[in-house]
């Protein structure tokens, strides 16, 4: 809680070599966040700060945000599942361009809507080192996606983009798709658990072969039917780096599934294909099942199961 976080904060300045601080799932609230905000700038070597599920809320994130630019080595910040909304997003947007070493930002499973994501998107191009952005579990829809689509091509180092469960539909995905070929370093794209149908799949199919570094594509738990399966099947063999493709829990028939299996067999990297069951109450997207598929790739170094 807050008192424990305050006690921890008092000790931190003595840890001159501390590089990795993770206090996830400790409900410290604003009081704990304020205490840590006073302490972490004194930890000159700190490069990872994990505060997921810490009950921070907008107020806690806002007070912590003011400390982040004074952590010169900070590379990885995790603030998932903290009830962050527009106020917290605005506070982060003000300081992120001054976090010169920032590489990974986790804001998953918060309450960041269209306005908050739009504000964040304006700051992203100034984060020159940003490699990973996790926004899954925030319902920002087409307006927020459009703001991200304008910003992402200016994030030249971006490798991983998590947009699972963000209320994206075909229109949203079509807007995002136009930006993807202009993200030259993109390797991992998460769009699972949205409302992507055949039109969205067609928009992706047009651009995926141009995403030359893309090795992981997550589209499970959407509404892609046989028409979408057909156009994706035409595109996948042209994706020369693809190693993992998640399409489970969609609306395609066995025929559509067969087309995808055949397409994957013709891909240069012989990617792992997750393709089971239709979407429905008894066939919900299963992140652990997809993780098991991914682990058959012996080159896997980082595993994230949203």
């Amino acid at each position: 809680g807050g008192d424990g976080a305050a006690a921890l904060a008092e000790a931190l300045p003595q840890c001159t070599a501390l590089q990795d601080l993770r206090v996830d799932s400790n409900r410290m609230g604003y009081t704990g966040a304020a205490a840590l905000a006073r302490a972490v700038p004194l930890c000159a070597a700190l490069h990872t700060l994990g505060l997921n599920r810490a009950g921070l809320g907008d107020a806690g994130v806002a007070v912590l945000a003011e400390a982040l630019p004074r952590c010169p080595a900070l590379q990885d910040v995790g603030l998932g599942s903290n009830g962050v909304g527009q106020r917290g997003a605005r506070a982060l947007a003000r300081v992120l361009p001054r976090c010169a070493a920032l590489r990974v930002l986790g804001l998953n499973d918060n309450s960041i809507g269209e306005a908050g994501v739009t504000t964040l998107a304006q700051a992203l191009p100034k984060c020159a080192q940003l490699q990973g952005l996790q926004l899954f579990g925030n319902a920002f829809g087409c307006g927020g996606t459009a703001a991200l689509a304008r910003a992402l091509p200016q994030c030249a180092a971006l490798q991983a983009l998590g947009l699972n469960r963000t209320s994206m539909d075909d229109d949203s995905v079509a807007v995002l798709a136009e930006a993807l070929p202009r993200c030259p370093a993109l390797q991992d794209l998460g769009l699972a658990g949205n409302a992507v149908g055949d039109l969205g799949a067609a928009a992706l199919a047009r651009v995926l072969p141009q995403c030359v570094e893309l090795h992981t594509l997550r589209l499970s738990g959407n509404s892609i039917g046989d028409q979408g399966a057909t156009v994706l099947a035409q595109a996948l063999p042209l994706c020369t780096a693809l190693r993992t493709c998640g399409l489970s829990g969609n609306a395609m028939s066995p025929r559509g599934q067969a087309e995808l299996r055949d397409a994957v067999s013709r891909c240069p990297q012989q990617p792992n294909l997750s393709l089971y069951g239709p979407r429905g109450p008894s066939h919900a997207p299963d992140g652990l099942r997809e993780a098991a598929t991914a682990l058959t790739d012996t080159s896997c170094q980082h595993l994230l199961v949203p």
Side-chain angles (χ1 to χ4, degrees):
D3 292 341
L8 174 66
E10 288 184 11
L12 287 179
Q14 304 170 45
C15 305
T16 56
L18 183 67
Q19 297 182 11
D20 191 334
L21 175 62
R22 304 181 197 229
V23 285
D24 303 321
S25 301
N26 287 281
R27 308 287 293 182
M28 65 182 69
Y30 173 83
T31 302
L36 285 177
R38 293 189 293 270
V40 291
L42 303 175
C43 302
L46 188 69
H47 63 63
T48 299
L49 179 61
L51 288 168
N52 302 292
R53 302 175 302 280
L56 302 183
D58 278 337
V61 167
V63 71
L64 183 69
E66 294 302 317
L68 298 183
R70 292 181 284 127
C71 301
L74 193 61
Q75 298 180 13
D76 188 331
V77 178
L79 295 170
S81 301
N82 273 299
V84 181
Q86 183 176 354
R87 180 188 167 195
R90 188 167 56 244
L92 287 168
R94 284 196 297 268
V95 303
L96 289 178
R98 292 185 279 131
C99 298
L102 186 67
R103 295 186 179 182
V104 179
L105 177 62
L107 285 169
N108 53 283
D109 296 305
N110 279 294
S111 302
I112 304 173
E114 178 179 332
V117 166
T118 299
T119 302
L120 281 170
Q122 293 169 353
L124 293 178
K126 301 171 186 175
C127 302
Q129 304 299 319
L130 189 66
Q131 297 179 5
L133 178 63
Q134 299 300 333
L135 288 169
F136 58 86
N138 290 283
F140 47 78
C142 193
T145 303
L148 285 173
R150 291 190 294 271
L152 294 176
Q154 302 174 65
C155 301
L158 189 68
Q159 298 178 8
L161 178 62
L163 298 177
N164 307 312
R165 297 182 281 109
T166 52
S167 299
M168 296 177 69
D169 57 12
D170 283 340
D171 291 338
S172 305
V173 170
V175 170
L176 179 69
E178 294 301 317
L180 296 180
R182 292 179 286 130
C183 299
L186 188 63
Q187 299 178 10
D188 188 326
L189 176 61
L191 296 171
N194 283 297
V196 182
D198 290 339
L199 293 177
L204 287 170
R206 286 192 292 270
V207 302
L208 287 176
Q210 302 172 54
C211 301
V212 295
E213 297 295 328
L214 188 70
H215 62 61
T216 300
L217 176 63
R218 309 171 197 273
L219 280 169
S220 293
N222 280 288
S223 302
I224 301 171
D226 286 347
Q227 292 182 0
T230 296
V231 293
L232 285 172
Q234 293 168 353
L236 292 181
L238 305 176
C239 299
T240 56
L242 192 67
R243 298 201 303 265
T244 300
C245 183
L247 279 161
S248 299
N250 277 283
M252 58 197 69
S253 71
R255 179 181 66 79
Q257 295 180 11
E259 285 190 68
L260 288 167
R261 291 192 181 95
D262 177 68
V264 164
S265 72
R266 292 181 281 111
C267 290
Q269 300 292 335
Q270 295 289 290
N272 298 306
L273 175 64
S274 174
L275 188 62
Y276 66 89
R279 188 175 186 177
S282 63
H283 295 89
D286 187 342
L288 293 178
R289 193 190 299 251
E290 290 217 5
T293 300
L295 288 174
T296 62
D297 177 3
T298 57
S299 66
C300 180
Q301 296 179 346
H302 306 285
L303 181 64
L304 171 66
V305 186

